[in-house]
Amino acid sequence: MAERQGLRAESSHFTLQGAPFRILGGSIHYFRVPRGYWRDRLMKMKACGCNTLSTYVPWNLHEPERGLFNFKDNLDLEAFISLACELELWVILRPGPYICAEWDLGGLPSWLLRDKDMKLRTTYPGFTRAVSSYFDKLIPRIANLQFSHGGPIIAVQVENEYGSYSKDAAYMKYIKKAFMSRGITELLLTSDNREGLKCSGLNGVLRTINLQKISYGALQSLADMQPERPLLVMEYWSGWFDVWGDSHHIFPAEDMIAVVTKLLERGASINLYMFHGGTTFGFMNGAVDFGTYKPQISSYDYDAPLSEYGDYTSKYNLLRELLKTYNSEPLPDLPPLQGRQAYEPVLMSHHMSLWDSLAYAEKPFKSEEPISMENLPVHNGNGQSYGYTLYETTIQSGGSLNSRNNIRDRALVFVDKKFTGILDYRTQRLTIPTSKDTRTLSLLVENCGRVNYGEALNSQRKGLIGDIVLNNTPLKGFSVHCLDMMPSFLKGMHGGKWKSMTETTTCPGFFKGILLVDAGEPKDTFIKMPQQEWMKGVVFVNGHNLGRYWHVGPQKELYLPAPWLKKGINQIIVFEEQKSAGRINFAENPEHGRMIDVSKHPFCTII
């Protein structure tokens, strides 16, 4: 039997099985899409004329604790790749270990930061030992899905945008060897923006470029670096991501199609990032910091051709018409859209204060000095990764409380459980009322998302990372509660002592209500938190963390996919930090609020 000849990059165009081949690809992240919708999203990609799927692999989800691996349910990577194969889509796998992706710490697990000397994305032994252990579990799961074994994986990306980081000349060689020694035999490639290309060379590895508009000489610079090799835009940015307190970014459909047309006319292969963005559920959003820290929102709509909730957009329709001309066979019919429904408003029936909920959290940890969430002795010695951490200590006086920028990232401050103010990366001083009595000072600190790109990766410890001073005297003697709001915590609260909403409600606190689905099958919907009634918090439905809401926008709704609903009773729990009127609304479609063209936003020119 003749050996299958995989993707080759040995001339000005790719070949696959010896025949000319052009990558018409798009990115969909399995971890941002409910498993019940994987098939739907991939079929819509196929119907648009794409022949290749690309996906990242998030290390922090697959190894949430050192040595504890999860490849089940929504993290069943093998099932996702096998589904692509069934639908006749090729796969470019991007296993990292760093992925960026607007994902917390770029996909690196936070327990790495328990090592005070950690140097991420380098050959520092503490990092490479962890990477090697992870790859020992990951790569055997994907090696048999390579093209040479009859699978759909035709290429594997070595790390991600390392040319822009470039801290260790030996690091990329280490990652390449780690792949090859564990059985990766398909085409290897790197991915960088134009500036990063200058530092991204690796023998035997194809360079590819990331861009949104064709700047003067960008493609030519890539072509000059590797003559007689095919051109691949590994990330063609179809839109952009959003941060809290800013505008929703759009990239006009006509502008996108014009660039894609030029790239294809130039003979380049292309992968749209994103084809379908999906949702950054839970606490997994990242952040940017180019002088100012800005956490990203939960929606990852990205203004992509396929919307966050799987609808066709004008970009999709224009792209399909274009890609028809590059497909030799007629495109599949468009799969039908999922129905959506604006359910009747839900009135919260019960509430529980934050202080009462502590009975269902792990026992508090005593620490004389401030301690970061990553260094808490919880989760089998792996620390706390996400969510909130409550720090409490006693004070003898009032005066000036100064965080010294050691709060990461945002803290609600209480004196004897009475709200006093907020300290964050912008506000670092707060006046504490004077009293002669000993009082309890409480700081509810939220990890708003670790930076996922740039120089700041190694400084992403969260919670209290240093001294907090009252009248220039460091506070000591903390009692620390881990409040990462894991399913076990919510399950423990279920049978707890909830109070009726007819009693006085207290924030921060949890609010519980029931969504009754009694007519037909559940449908997609959007939870809308009225800005006059809620301020900031998190929503859980049937135990699923939908993500964060915040009145500052631009995101106004949280996507609730039908696969996470059931006929009959659906439990909704809202954790609200500051204000609640006890009602949530539903909508069929999201409102994106104020918008800005991504090409006109100064931040976007940095990348």
Side-chain angles (χ1 to χ4, degrees):
M1 184 175 177
E3 180 181 352
R4 285 164 58 89
Q5 188 180 50
L7 189 68
R8 298 288 187 267
E10 297 165 352
S11 65
S12 59
H13 58 262
F14 289 107
T15 60
L16 183 63
Q17 198 69 326
F21 180 74
R22 186 197 295 258
I23 296 168
L24 302 173
S27 293
I28 298 178
H29 299 154
Y30 59 100
F31 47 94
R32 279 184 160 123
V33 179
R35 183 167 180 166
Y37 280 156
W38 283 357
R39 179 177 294 272
D40 172 79
R41 304 313 194 243
L42 294 186
M43 287 178 65
K44 288 171 178 172
M45 169 182 277
K46 181 78 173 178
C48 193
C50 293
N51 58 24
T52 305
L53 162 73
S54 78
T55 185
Y56 283 131
V57 180
W59 181 7
N60 56 359
L61 290 188
H62 287 295
E63 193 179 3
E65 297 179 13
R66 188 187 291 269
L68 177 67
F69 296 92
N70 183 2
F71 290 93
K72 297 179 180 179
D73 303 322
N74 226 92
L75 295 177
D76 193 339
L77 174 60
E78 294 164 276
F80 185 68
I81 295 173
S82 297
L83 177 59
C85 185
E86 176 190 332
L87 298 177
E88 299 182 336
L89 288 166
W90 302 114
V91 174
I92 297 176
L93 197 65
R94 312 176 79 187
Y98 163 84
I99 63 172
C100 186
E102 288 68 65
W103 198 257
D104 187 276
L105 203 61
L108 301 176
S110 66
W111 47 258
L112 291 167
L113 299 176
R114 290 175 66 84
D115 180 349
K116 62 181 178 61
D117 299 318
M118 177 56 64
K119 297 178 179 61
L120 302 173
R121 304 179 73 192
T122 71
T123 52
Y124 172 70
F127 185 67
T128 56
R129 280 195 299 269
V131 171
S132 294
S133 174
Y134 168 55
F135 280 174
D136 284 344
K137 294 293 184 180
L138 171 67
I139 294 179
R141 292 177 176 274
I142 61 177
N144 288 334
L145 294 169
Q146 296 179 94
F147 184 88
S148 58
H149 293 268
I153 298 175
I154 56 174
V156 177
Q157 183 174 301
V158 182
E159 234 264 358
N160 188 56
E161 297 181 318
Y162 197 72
S164 302
Y165 194 74
S166 197
K167 297 293 184 183
D168 186 334
Y171 174 67
M172 290 290 278
K173 295 176 183 177
Y174 157 74
I175 298 295
K176 177 186 175 184
K177 183 178 179 181
F179 286 167
M180 297 180 69
S181 65
R182 290 168 175 82
I184 296 299
T185 58
E186 303 302 330
L187 178 71
L188 297 178
L189 53 86
T190 59
S191 172
D192 280 284
N193 61 31
R194 185 180 181 183
E195 288 303 308
L197 281 174
K198 300 173 183 177
C199 305
S200 67
L202 197 59
N203 288 338
V205 178
L206 181 72
R207 300 187 198 198
T208 73
I209 193 169
N210 304 337
L211 54 82
Q212 186 165 70
K213 292 195 172 183
I214 303 179
S215 58
Y216 176 75
L219 278 183
Q220 191 58 48
S221 63
L222 175 61
D224 291 343
M225 287 179 183
Q226 41 188 29
E228 293 303 311
R229 304 293 296 276
L231 295 173
L232 169 58
V233 180
M234 186 58 209
E235 289 187 13
Y236 176 72
W237 300 319
S238 63
W240 203 250
F241 59 85
D242 295 337
V243 297
W244 287 112
D246 207 337
S247 300
H248 171 58
H249 293 90
I250 61 170
F251 186 45
E254 294 76 11
D255 292 352
M256 187 199 87
I257 292 300
V259 179
V260 173
T261 299
K262 289 180 181 178
L263 290 171
L264 295 178
E265 288 175 347
R266 171 74 185 266
S269 284
I270 189 169
N271 176 68
L272 274 78
Y273 188 98
M274 299 292 295
F275 181 84
H276 168 59
T279 309
T280 307
F281 294 110
F283 295 121
M284 300 311 299
N285 65 277
V288 294
D289 192 344
F290 295 104
T292 302
Y293 171 84
K294 294 182 178 182
Q296 289 141 359
I297 68 173
S298 294
S299 170
Y300 203 59
D301 179 83
Y302 212 84
D303 197 31
L306 204 60
S307 74
E308 178 182 12
Y309 42 99
D311 263 15
Y312 305 116
T313 67
S314 57
K315 283 183 178 176
Y316 182 99
N317 295 328
L318 290 172
L319 183 64
R320 188 170 191 260
E321 288 302 311
L322 173 62
L323 296 186
K324 275 182 182 179
T325 62
Y326 290 89
N327 277 263
S328 58
E329 300 291 333
L331 298 185
D333 293 337
L334 293 179
L337 297 176
Q338 289 75 35
R340 292 193 298 281
Q341 183 172 341
Y343 292 101
E344 291 298 315
V346 167
L347 296 178
M348 300 288 103
S349 59
H350 294 82
H351 73 96
M352 182 186 296
S353 74
L354 169 73
W355 319 107
D356 289 341
S357 77
L358 297 179
Y360 309 101
E362 294 195 38
K363 291 182 179 179
F365 170 69
K366 304 295 184 181
S367 176
E368 184 64 16
E369 303 291 334
I371 182 171
S372 72
M373 64 162 52
E374 294 83 2
N375 285 312
L376 288 176
V378 297
H379 300 312
N380 301 309
N382 288 275
Q384 179 182 347
S385 295
Y386 313 106
Y388 296 78
T389 310
L390 179 66
Y391 298 81
E392 296 189 310
T393 187
T394 56
I395 55 174
Q396 308 294 331
S397 66
S400 176
L401 185 67
N402 187 342
S403 74
R404 293 184 172 177
N405 199 29
N406 285 326
I407 288 175
R408 303 292 165 84
D409 301 294
R410 186 175 185 269
L412 303 183
V413 182
F414 304 86
V415 177
D416 285 344
K417 301 180 182 178
K418 182 179 179 181
F419 177 67
T420 304
I422 296 174
L423 294 172
D424 59 14
Y425 40 90
R426 294 160 296 193
T427 303
Q428 299 176 24
R429 293 178 183 272
L430 186 65
T431 299
I432 302 298
T434 300
S435 173
K436 296 180 180 179
D437 300 324
T438 297
R439 294 169 296 168
T440 299
L441 176 73
S442 304
L443 299 140
L444 180 63
V445 182
E446 180 190 8
N447 166 6
C448 295
R450 294 183 183 87
V451 166
N452 56 264
Y453 180 90
E455 301 292 324
L457 283 178
N458 286 298
S459 60
Q460 290 305 299
R461 294 167 183 86
K462 298 296 185 177
L464 296 187
I465 65 167
D467 282 335
I468 309 297
V469 300
L470 181 60
N471 300 326
N472 296 317
T473 300
L475 297 174
K476 305 287 185 180
F478 291 92
S479 180
V480 189
H481 299 260
C482 169
L483 291 168
D484 48 9
M485 303 185 190
M486 300 284 276
S488 57
F489 171 68
L490 296 174
K491 186 176 180 181
M493 288 177 61
H494 183 69
K497 296 180 180 179
W498 292 81
K499 297 179 180 179
S500 168
M501 288 293 287
T502 58
E503 304 176 60
T504 302
T505 61
T506 303
C507 285
F510 295 86
F511 297 81
K512 183 167 65 172
I514 296 297
L515 169 62
L516 187 62
V517 178
D518 57 1
E521 293 295 325
K523 293 183 179 179
D524 283 2
T525 190
F526 285 86
I527 289 183
K528 186 177 180 66
M529 312 297 289
Q531 293 187 1
Q532 299 78 18
E533 301 177 21
W534 304 86
M535 293 284 287
K536 188 178 190 301
V538 191
V539 179
F540 304 86
V541 177
N542 295 332
H544 295 280
N545 186 336
L546 300 189
R548 311 174 205 249
Y549 64 89
W550 195 357
H551 72 94
V552 300
Q555 183 172 352
K556 296 183 178 182
E557 295 87 9
L558 288 169
Y559 175 50
L560 173 51
W564 290 359
L565 290 171
K566 56 189 177 183
K567 283 186 177 181
I569 293 175
N570 295 270
Q571 184 187 76
I572 300 178
I573 293 179
V574 177
F575 175 69
E576 166 59 41
E577 296 183 10
Q578 292 183 266
K579 173 184 176 182
S580 169
R583 179 192 65 174
I584 63 173
N585 295 335
F586 296 86
E588 285 190 30
N589 299 293
E591 295 180 40
H592 291 300
R594 59 189 183 275
M595 300 185 185
I596 186 171
D597 187 327
V598 62
S599 62
K600 297 177 182 176
H601 194 298
F603 164 72
C604 302
T605 62
I606 297 173
I607 303 297

